[in-house]
Amino acid sequence: MRPLLMLWRYPAIVITVVVLLGVLTLHIVGLDELGRWLATAYVGAFVVWTLVGMVRDVLRGHVGLDILAVVAMVATLAVGEYLASLIIVLMLSGGEALEDFAGRRAKRDLSTLLDRSPRVAHVCMEPRSPISDELRDVPVEEVRIGEVLLVRPSEIVPIDGTLLTETATFDESSLTGESVPAARVAGEEVLSGAINGNRAVRIQAVRSSADSQYQQIVALVRDAEGSHAPIVRLADRFAIPFTAVSLVLAAAAWGLSGDSTRFAEVLVLATPCPLLIAAPVAFLGGLSRAAKAGVIMKGGAVIEQIARVRSAAFDKTGTLTQGRPELIDVRPVGDLDADELLQLAASAEQYSTHVLADGIRRAAEDRGLTLLAAEDAKEVATNGVSATIGERTVVVGKPAYLASVAPDTTPTLLDTGQAAAYVAVNGRFAGVLVLAGDPRPEARTVVSWLRSHGVGTIAMFTGDIASTAESVGRQVGIDDVHAELLPPEKVQLAGGLQPRPMMMVGDGVNDAPALAAADVGVAMGARGATAAGDAADVVIVVDSLEKVVDAVAIGRHTRQVALTAIWIGIGLSLGLMVIAMSGVIPAVVGALVQELVDLATILYALRALSGPPSRAGRQRQ
């Protein structure tokens, strides 16, 4: 079955081999002239077919390297080296098969991710039963938030949910890269894509399929798989110079020797397979390597850009600091007590996407406070949220925003690493909620690594107040701190930061415009920041800032491998062409030797699959 599939997938190889065997057979039986005409007719047809493809490429704005192969085939036929011409045809058609094979090897990790995507969920018809026997299998796209699902042993969790079973273990290696199974208890969140352990468990869906972690990763991987623009662009940089040098060497050999055969003997060693194959294989390998490390890059263009990054900017909350700040103090002002202030603030924060809002809501729930419904609510990005709750208008946000609705707002003193949410009720200042979010333990090491590896400018762009932002900046080693920014101001700063290319790292909805404006936008997507992930070029699906280092290191390694593979191919071809100018390499031998050059470049390009480890992790050790 597999041989038949190969015949169907690569018919040019099969036909070329058949023609080559036929020509050799005719040569053995003494019918050389018939063999020459057979070879000439077939190679001529192949040349026409190649020229048609070249014209289509030119019309699309892509000047490729096939001109060298066409000239080599025509030249070998012209001087009677028809066996060499058939070997060139075999080499070109075989090059497609080699590229396909290497590409499948390089994309193996990406394809595995796509193949594992869960498609069916088992919905419990009796959710209150410990393990319901009445199940309804539905496509994961049809699962509704709040439904209870059964996940059988060794099955993939189909959708993000809250664990209802008392305890369970999950293999989260495809999401986090961590090989040790993760233990979860009732009430904890379980991400889609995790593999259940050895017992059936129940989870309650908390997100739709489209918003669940694994489905977002799969969508990003599909986008990454479909991008090939940078591969063509990198090879094109060498196409015209290499073509020109090859033709000059071949013409010089002909002119110096007076033998037209010498032109063909030189040119068969200038076939373009190293350029056409090496770069695609390397970039696909880099995408695969990054995905395996928990970093989804949306195409090879991103690898090229992130490899050359010279400046970087970071958001603060959820990026440089821990993503889950905890409420540590409630400071009411006026008639409200601490619990009433927290209840009103948390009820308003139900309608906010800011990371501090999540901490306030969790604190209210932990104290057993019921969140109240609002008749009307709106969020002003990076400033705060306003909600009408019963007879009261509640506003929660930054002090400057509160002062516009409650002029009596009074700033409060904060310690290092603390953040505050100010509350106003019916136009009067009502108090302050103090939260603490320490810098990520790896943040300072990541900043230090970037600075020591050529990223000369590192800044912080945040909507938080200046005192908190500057405190975090000192702790992580960033002096250039821009605080109390609105999204348009972040975009303006991202556009002006020098030198270029510039990388922006963020995690929230308010970071999406800046991520889109940067040369390379990196989203911390482990907690499901959909808008940021859509706007970004790179999405980190593991909750670790250290993956920023992995992304840069893999990008640089991949680009270097691609360039080195190209130079290996060019160097070997040029060296062999110079030798062939003396006439010591017959055309047939030269065509066979060029196959070995192709193989060498492909094997070297596959080194992109074994990218460098996290340098930041090494430094910390």
Side-chain angles (χ1 to χ4, degrees):
M1 189 67 182
R2 186 177 293 273
L4 292 176
L5 181 62
M6 290 291 292
L7 294 178
W8 176 260
R9 183 176 294 172
Y10 308 112
I13 296 177
V14 178
I15 297 172
T16 305
V17 170
V18 170
V19 172
L20 182 58
L21 291 175
V23 170
L24 289 173
T25 301
L26 292 171
H27 174 72
I28 292 172
V29 299
L31 299 174
D32 288 349
E33 189 65 19
L34 182 58
R36 184 172 69 84
W37 279 109
L38 175 61
T40 301
Y42 176 69
V43 175
F46 192 87
V47 167
V48 172
W49 180 72
T50 304
L51 287 172
V52 170
M54 287 174 57
V55 171
R56 290 174 180 169
D57 288 342
V58 170
L59 292 176
R60 290 195 295 261
H62 170 222
V63 180
L65 288 152
D66 288 338
I67 185 65
L68 274 178
V70 169
V71 174
M73 286 185 283
V74 172
T76 49
L77 287 177
V79 298
E81 294 285 354
Y82 53 89
L83 286 177
S85 66
L86 284 171
I87 293 174
I88 295 173
V89 173
L90 183 61
M91 178 179 59
L92 290 175
S93 55
E96 180 185 348
L98 287 172
E99 180 182 358
D100 191 24
F101 169 78
R104 287 199 305 274
R105 168 68 180 88
K107 292 193 295 183
R108 187 172 60 188
D109 295 312
L110 298 180
S111 299
T112 299
L113 191 67
L114 296 174
D115 292 342
R116 290 179 64 254
S117 178
R119 295 175 175 83
V120 176
H122 313 305
V123 178
C124 296
M125 303 301 292
E126 297 179 8
R128 295 185 180 180
S129 173
I131 293 294
S132 174
D133 291 330
E134 295 189 35
L135 301 174
R136 178 169 55 92
D137 286 352
V138 301
V140 290
E141 296 82 7
E142 297 179 11
V143 175
R144 297 188 297 271
I145 296 175
E147 287 188 319
V148 176
L149 311 179
L150 176 72
V151 184
R152 296 186 176 115
S154 301
E155 280 189 340
I156 297 173
V157 177
I159 206 164
D160 292 356
T162 301
L163 183 64
L164 301 179
T165 306
E166 186 176 348
T167 60
T169 59
F170 297 91
D171 177 0
E172 299 179 348
S173 58
S174 63
L175 300 172
T176 66
E178 175 57 61
S179 58
V180 178
R184 296 283 180 262
V185 297
E188 290 189 333
E189 186 173 346
V190 180
L191 296 177
S192 60
I195 301 175
N196 187 24
N198 56 9
R199 57 178 297 192
V201 300
R202 291 184 308 140
I203 64 170
Q204 186 171 34
V206 296
R207 295 189 186 92
S208 65
S209 172
D211 293 334
S212 288
Q213 177 81 353
Y214 197 76
Q215 300 298 334
Q216 289 188 43
I217 294 173
V218 167
L220 291 170
V221 169
R222 285 201 177 99
D223 291 342
E225 261 196 324
S227 175
H228 297 290
I231 295 168
V232 172
R233 191 160 59 243
L234 184 64
D236 282 351
R237 296 173 193 168
F238 300 88
I240 295 177
F242 183 66
T243 300
V245 170
S246 301
L247 291 173
V248 167
L249 289 177
W254 183 1
L256 292 173
S257 66
D259 183 2
S260 59
T261 304
R262 199 69 55 84
F263 181 85
E265 290 174 347
V266 172
L267 216 54
V268 294
L269 290 160
T271 47
C273 287
L275 297 187
L276 296 176
I277 298 174
V281 170
F283 277 102
L284 287 171
L287 293 174
S288 177
R289 171 75 176 93
K292 192 174 182 180
V295 179
I296 305 298
M297 297 189 184
K298 298 180 182 179
V302 179
I303 292 180
E304 284 205 65
Q305 281 287 70
I306 204 169
R308 301 186 299 111
V309 159
R310 291 297 175 264
S311 62
F314 292 84
D315 174 50
K316 182 185 75 67
T317 307
T319 302
L320 289 171
T321 62
Q322 301 283 6
R324 295 172 67 89
E326 302 291 336
L327 182 72
I328 61 172
D329 193 13
V330 180
R331 301 175 184 176
V333 174
D335 299 333
L336 297 178
D337 61 25
D339 281 353
E340 192 174 7
L341 177 66
L342 177 59
Q343 183 184 39
L344 288 174
S347 299
E349 292 285 35
Q350 292 180 93
Y351 308 98
S352 173
T353 58
H354 195 275
V355 67
L356 293 183
D358 185 48
I360 293 170
R361 292 193 299 266
R362 289 199 316 273
E365 293 168 357
D366 290 344
R367 297 188 187 191
L369 302 176
T370 302
L371 300 187
L372 307 174
E375 298 174 10
D376 180 48
K378 66 177 181 178
E379 182 177 22
V380 179
T382 77
N383 276 320
V385 63
S386 173
T388 302
I389 301 173
E391 299 297 323
R392 291 181 280 198
T393 299
V394 181
V395 181
V396 186
K398 296 194 297 188
Y401 177 57
L402 263 288
S404 66
V405 296
D408 60 336
T409 299
T410 304
T412 190
L413 295 176
L414 298 173
D415 294 331
T416 299
Q418 293 181 346
Y422 290 71
V423 186
V425 178
N426 289 336
R428 295 188 60 82
F429 180 48
V432 179
L433 307 177
V434 181
L435 300 94
D438 294 330
R440 293 176 180 268
E442 72 272 18
R444 188 175 187 88
T445 306
V446 169
V447 171
S448 175
W449 188 93
L450 290 173
R451 187 168 281 125
S452 64
H453 286 77
V455 182
T457 302
I458 300 179
M460 180 197 297
F461 298 164
T462 179
D464 210 343
I465 60 175
S467 58
T468 301
E470 289 169 359
S471 171
V472 172
R474 285 193 297 271
Q475 293 180 70
V476 302
I478 297 178
D479 300 322
D480 187 9
V481 176
H482 302 264
E484 301 182 37
L485 300 175
L486 296 173
E489 294 171 323
K490 285 188 177 183
V491 171
Q492 185 177 6
L493 286 169
L497 196 65
Q498 296 293 332
R500 313 299 286 194
M502 176 267 185
M503 173 177 68
M504 175 71 197
V505 186
D507 78 314
V509 174
N510 63 311
D511 296 319
L515 294 176
D519 298 315
V520 181
V522 181
M524 302 289 291
R527 299 189 185 276
T530 306
D534 289 344
D537 303 296
V538 178
V539 180
I540 294 173
V541 297
V542 179
D543 192 22
S544 171
L545 194 63
E546 204 172 75
K547 292 300 176 181
V548 173
V549 169
D550 282 343
V552 175
I554 289 171
R556 291 181 177 182
H557 176 74
T558 301
R559 186 172 184 271
Q560 185 59 47
V561 167
L563 288 171
T564 303
I566 287 173
W567 280 115
I568 287 174
I570 289 176
L572 290 175
S573 293
L574 289 176
L576 290 167
M577 279 190 283
V578 171
I579 296 173
M581 290 176 69
S582 65
V584 299
I585 304 179
V588 173
V589 174
L592 293 172
V593 168
Q594 185 60 33
E595 288 281 11
L596 299 178
V597 174
D598 297 345
L599 184 60
T601 57
I602 292 171
L603 291 176
Y604 188 89
L606 284 173
R607 292 186 69 240
L609 283 168
S610 56
S614 170
R615 314 284 178 85
R618 270 186 173 180
Q619 284 184 0
R620 194 171 62 250
Q621 294 170 0

